[in-house]
Amino acid sequence: MSTRIGIDAGGTLTKIAYWDEKKEMSFRSFLSSDFKAVKDWLDTNHSLASICLTGGRAEQLKKYLSSKNEIPYIVEFDATMNGVMYQLKEDVISSDSAIIANIGTGTSIHIMQGDSHSRLGGTGVGGGTLVGLGSALTGIMNYKDIIKLSNEGKRNSIDILVSDIYQHNKLPIKGSLTASNFGGVALKSDEARNSSDLLAGVQGIIGEVVATLCIQAADAHLLEDIIYIGSTLEENKLLQEIIESYTILKQKKPIFLEKHGYSGAIGALLENK
């Protein structure tokens, strides 16, 4: 069967968006460390497909798919924004101007104003941090296991809250805010903690760092909406909750799209005409 396919080859995951037999958009993902699985899936299911690539590892994947000639490429930021705007329309979400955080292996932050967009900056904190720091602290390396265990953890003994510092004193700011990520490991050394708690703490670092940077960007550009996307949000309820609560606390509007991690792949698919 011949079809059109958009592929976003990221640092951790390779995401695929394509039109199925019912002309509905479908999705697949593979580890970017296993391009053979990507090629095998394409050869088995879509050997005659027209492909458009994007993502940081697109050129590496293109060379691996050497039998497929003239594979076009779309700049990752353009593909991502196209995918975001498509999803906003599909999900009937009204947002003409917004800050966009793409939380992949690291995090890239953009501003969208109408049909135009530009990159504002970013941070190395992202999904790679979750896997790298999480495995260093607990020895657990499987991404899905890290996500599952972190959702079972509590950050009480991991972080220092504002209320921990200002005990019996008048609080200058909301007491539930984090005063120090992982500061509680030293300050609360007598409290019991396990791998789930440590992993929840890592999620806290990622969520609060990303949300803080986006909130500052939104303030600087007088915007209210912040759209959070990226593969690190896929099936990651805890990270979404951390980002959502902190964004709302700072009086901004968090928006989560249904296909968090596939915006780049969707944009590549839409470009593949």
Side-chain angles (χ1 to χ4, degrees):
M1 179 182 68
S2 178
T3 187
R4 291 186 285 123
I5 292 177
I7 301 179
D8 177 8
T12 304
L13 293 174
T14 292
K15 288 81 64 177
I16 299 175
Y18 63 99
W19 300 111
D20 63 18
E21 294 177 345
K22 298 179 181 179
K23 296 184 179 181
E24 295 178 352
M25 197 176 288
S26 295
F27 306 91
R28 289 291 301 266
S29 68
F30 300 88
L31 290 172
S32 291
S33 58
D34 190 6
F35 281 158
K36 182 180 184 301
V38 178
K39 186 177 186 301
D40 288 346
W41 181 81
L42 289 170
D43 290 344
T44 301
N45 300 281
H46 303 285
S47 60
L48 300 177
S50 170
I51 297 172
C52 181
L53 289 173
T54 191
R57 299 189 66 180
E59 191 62 30
Q60 296 175 49
L61 179 58
K62 183 177 180 179
K63 290 179 179 177
Y64 197 90
L65 303 176
S66 56
S67 61
K68 297 184 179 298
N69 298 320
E70 301 301 324
I71 301 178
Y73 171 81
I74 177 174
V75 175
E76 182 178 1
F77 299 149
D78 292 337
T80 300
M81 293 305 107
N82 290 344
V84 167
M85 287 187 278
Y86 174 84
Q87 289 183 84
L88 287 172
K89 292 176 182 177
E90 289 293 300
D91 296 346
V92 197
I93 297 173
S94 177
S95 182
D96 294 328
S97 299
I99 299 298
I100 300 174
N102 188 4
I103 313 170
T105 304
T107 301
S108 186
I109 299 173
H110 305 252
I111 182 171
M112 177 185 73
Q113 294 176 307
D115 292 331
S116 67
H117 64 85
S118 60
R119 186 176 187 271
L120 298 177
T123 172
V125 174
T129 310
L130 180 56
V131 176
L133 185 55
S135 63
L137 289 170
T138 67
I140 300 166
M141 300 192 70
N142 182 276
Y143 180 75
K144 290 186 177 180
D145 290 341
I146 288 174
I147 296 296
K148 181 177 182 296
L149 283 171
S150 68
N151 278 278
E152 299 170 2
K154 297 180 179 179
R155 297 166 59 194
N156 308 47
S157 67
I158 303 299
D159 300 336
I160 297 176
L161 303 181
V162 171
S163 59
D164 293 325
I165 295 177
Y166 287 86
Q167 293 184 29
H168 311 300
N169 292 314
K170 184 177 180 180
L171 295 172
I173 54 177
K174 193 173 179 65
S176 59
L177 286 171
T178 304
S180 176
N181 293 95
F182 268 79
V185 174
L187 186 66
K188 306 172 184 178
S189 57
D190 59 332
E191 294 190 21
R193 59 182 60 88
N194 54 35
S195 293
S196 295
D197 300 332
L198 291 168
L199 293 172
V202 177
Q203 294 256 44
I205 290 176
I206 298 167
E208 291 177 4
V209 166
V210 170
T212 297
L213 290 174
C214 290
I215 290 162
Q216 291 173 347
D219 283 339
H221 293 275
L222 304 177
L223 296 176
E224 178 185 1
D225 294 351
I226 303 176
I227 302 171
Y228 295 100
I229 62 172
S231 54
T232 310
L233 291 168
E234 289 290 327
E235 300 180 9
N236 194 343
K237 181 181 177 183
L238 177 59
L239 183 59
Q240 289 187 51
E241 289 176 347
I242 292 168
I243 289 173
E244 181 176 40
S245 62
Y246 196 75
T247 304
I248 292 173
L249 179 66
K250 295 298 183 177
Q251 299 181 322
K252 302 299 179 186
K253 179 183 176 183
I255 297 172
F256 296 93
L257 301 178
E258 183 179 355
K259 292 298 177 182
H260 304 290
Y262 290 90
S263 295
I266 292 171
L269 173 62
L270 296 175
E271 183 76 7
N272 189 11
K273 297 178 180 178

